[in-house]
């Protein structure tokens, strides 16, 4: 790990700033914030109108003078000032007062694997905006692996796949460190876009931006895999007339559309397995891949990975909050490092 567990135990608050959702864990209180990474701003006055779930509901439904901003993209803060304002409002006055009472407030934050110095600096500046005096950065892959209960500190291979909104990160871990990792610019947003494009081209139907994820969940519940219904009714707007229209969509065709952007993810897994030592690959044949992240619940994704790799694939119990819960476990001292003492002689 880039940061020692001893340093993390001194932290008071852990933040996972994701492209889709922002989560905050406070030592002694647990998970206190789990909201969409959205902020609605009045462009005339610069005032913040809404943050979180209410701001996300405004997407695509605002008048000209209201802008819905997403200050985080692919796990990297792209608008520091907006991210600070959003985080302060998500925490609320009461919690911020509690945190300000702590002298020398320390914070921990997740950063994507191989984040460049600018991205790391942006994460630190955002934490300073909520009053942190010192900020520790932890690789999202390690935090997520700890959060879903993988034996990260043991001398055996663990493979984790963090399926985010903008990126997918895959890594093999052993002895508390990353042996091989890949960061692929394909995530839940790319899959949403593939579904929207399929409906537009195949059915001349425009799907509202707020309806893509419910559509995928409906497909998941109806059984997009073998044995489920052959079609699902979808409501949208006709491309030519602009009128509301409903069509019956072939679930197999939607699955094929989803499969296209995921080929890059399969290539990334193959690349990692080729660079890993044979002993670790042998471990993975038994332990398999652990999927975490909000996009891990996409219908048919786990089965597609099983078919492509021949390895067991599991989805974590709470895949969307694994990273911040892993950081929280480190803050509260629940993780015991493997002691590797230098030998004398």
């Amino acid at each position: 790990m880039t940061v020692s567990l001893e340093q993390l135990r001194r932290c008071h608050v852990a933040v996972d700033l994701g492209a889709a959702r922002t989560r905050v864990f406070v030592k002694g209180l647990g998970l206190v914030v789990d909201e969409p990474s959205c902020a609605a701003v009045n462009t005339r006055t610069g005032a913040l109108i809404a943050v979180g779930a209410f701001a996300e509901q405004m997407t695509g439904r605002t008048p000209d003078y209201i802008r819905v901003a997403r200050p985080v993209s692919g796990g990297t803060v792209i608008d520091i000032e907006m991210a600070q304002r959003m985080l302060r409002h998500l925490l609320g006055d009461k919690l911020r007062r509690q945190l300000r009472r702590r002298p020398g407030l320390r914070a921990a934050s997740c950063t994507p694997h191989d984040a460049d110095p600018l991205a790391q600096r942006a994460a630190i500046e955002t934490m300073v905006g909520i009053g942190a005096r010192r900020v520790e950065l932890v690789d999202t892959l390690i935090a997520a692996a700890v959060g879903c209960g993988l034996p990260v500190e043991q001398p055996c291979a663990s493979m984790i796949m963090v399926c985010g909104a903008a990126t997918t990160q895959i890594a093999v871990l052993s002895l508390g460190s990353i042996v091989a990792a890949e960061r692929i610019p394909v995530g839940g947003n790319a899959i949403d876009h593939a579904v929207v494009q399929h409906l537009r081209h195949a059915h001349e139907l425009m799907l509202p931006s707020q309806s893509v994820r419910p559509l995928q969940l409906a497909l998941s519940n109806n059984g997009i895999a073998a044995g489920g219904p052959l079609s699902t009714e979808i409501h949208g707007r006709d491309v030519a007339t602009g009128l509301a229209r409903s069509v019956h969509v072939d679930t197999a065709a939607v699955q094929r559309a989803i499969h296209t952007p995921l080929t890059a993810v399969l290539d990334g897994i193959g690349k990692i397995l080729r660079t890993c030592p044979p002993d670790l690959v042998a471990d993975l044949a038994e332990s398999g891949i652990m999927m975490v992240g909000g996009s891990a619940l996409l219908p048919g994704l786990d089965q597609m990975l099983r078919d492509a790799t021949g390895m067991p694939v599991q989805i974590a119990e709470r895949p969307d909050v694994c990273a911040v819960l892993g950081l929280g476990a480190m803050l509260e001292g629940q993780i015991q490092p493997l002691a590797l003492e230098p030998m004398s002689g």
Side-chain angles (χ1 to χ4, degrees):
M1 294 186 190
T2 52
V3 183
S4 73
L5 287 170
E6 192 57 45
Q7 288 173 307
L8 286 170
R9 284 195 195 103
R10 295 179 193 147
C11 293
H12 307 104
V13 59
V15 178
D16 177 18
L17 275 170
R21 296 183 78 85
T22 294
R23 300 174 178 94
V24 181
F25 184 102
V26 176
K27 188 186 279 188
L29 296 177
L31 189 64
V32 294
V33 173
D34 184 2
E35 292 275 344
S37 302
C38 277
V41 186
N42 185 327
T43 54
R44 293 173 183 169
T45 63
L48 206 60
I49 298 169
V51 293
F54 188 42
E56 189 176 52
Q57 286 173 14
M58 293 182 180
T59 306
R61 299 186 172 102
T62 59
D64 291 342
Y65 66 92
I66 295 177
R67 178 175 67 95
V68 177
R70 287 187 173 271
V72 186
S73 175
T76 302
V77 178
I78 55 174
D79 186 340
I80 296 172
E81 184 190 352
M82 187 59 67
Q84 289 174 342
R85 292 173 72 186
M86 179 188 76
L87 203 50
R88 282 198 291 266
H89 279 80
L90 286 175
L91 284 170
D93 292 336
K94 184 181 176 185
L95 194 55
R96 275 166 46 214
R97 279 197 298 270
Q98 284 182 20
L99 293 174
R100 274 203 296 265
R101 287 194 199 107
R102 298 174 189 259
L105 178 68
R106 288 177 176 236
S109 177
C110 290
T111 54
H113 179 67
D114 281 346
D116 58 62
L118 278 176
Q120 293 178 2
R121 188 71 202 166
I124 291 169
E125 289 290 334
T126 304
M127 295 300 104
V128 169
I130 63 166
R133 295 285 179 268
R134 184 182 171 95
V135 182
E136 310 290 357
L137 299 180
V138 180
D139 197 305
T140 303
L141 290 163
I142 291 177
V146 169
C148 63
L150 289 177
V152 179
E153 296 286 345
Q154 298 305 311
C156 60
S158 302
M159 190 170 198
I160 188 158
M161 180 171 160
V162 180
C163 310
T167 58
T168 298
Q169 301 174 70
I170 312 164
V172 174
L173 300 103
S174 180
L175 289 171
S177 297
I178 294 170
V179 179
E182 279 289 317
R183 189 174 166 200
I184 301 145
V186 172
N189 293 345
I191 295 164
D192 290 351
H193 182 70
V195 173
V196 169
Q197 290 299 106
H198 166 73
L199 291 172
R200 189 184 180 103
H201 290 209
H203 300 279
E204 296 185 346
L205 194 76
M206 285 186 71
L207 201 64
S209 60
Q210 304 271 329
S211 302
V212 182
R213 194 48 57 94
L215 162 64
Q216 291 175 359
L217 291 174
L219 290 170
S220 177
N221 293 335
N222 290 339
I224 196 169
L230 297 177
S231 65
T232 304
E233 189 176 13
I234 305 298
H235 304 281
R237 191 181 79 186
D238 190 283
V239 172
T241 65
L243 299 174
R245 184 163 65 90
S246 60
V247 296
H248 283 275
V249 178
D250 180 17
T251 50
V254 174
Q255 191 175 28
R256 286 195 295 273
I258 288 172
H259 190 283
T260 305
L262 292 175
T263 51
V265 176
L266 297 176
D267 291 343
I269 292 174
K271 191 174 177 183
I272 285 178
L273 293 175
R274 285 193 296 273
T275 57
C276 268
D279 291 328
L280 291 181
V281 176
D283 287 348
L284 293 174
E286 188 176 333
S287 60
I289 304 170
M290 177 66 80
M291 292 173 63
V292 302
S295 300
L297 297 171
L298 285 171
L301 179 55
D302 53 341
Q303 189 57 49
M304 193 190 83
L305 288 176
R306 284 189 199 98
D307 296 340
T309 62
M311 290 159 54
V313 178
Q314 291 177 286
I315 300 175
E317 190 176 338
R318 297 178 67 189
D320 50 342
V321 293
C322 277
V324 75
L325 291 182
L327 272 182
M330 295 179 202
L331 260 61
E332 297 191 330
Q334 296 172 10
I335 309 301
Q336 295 301 319
L338 184 68
L340 296 173
E341 298 293 338
M343 298 177 71
S344 58

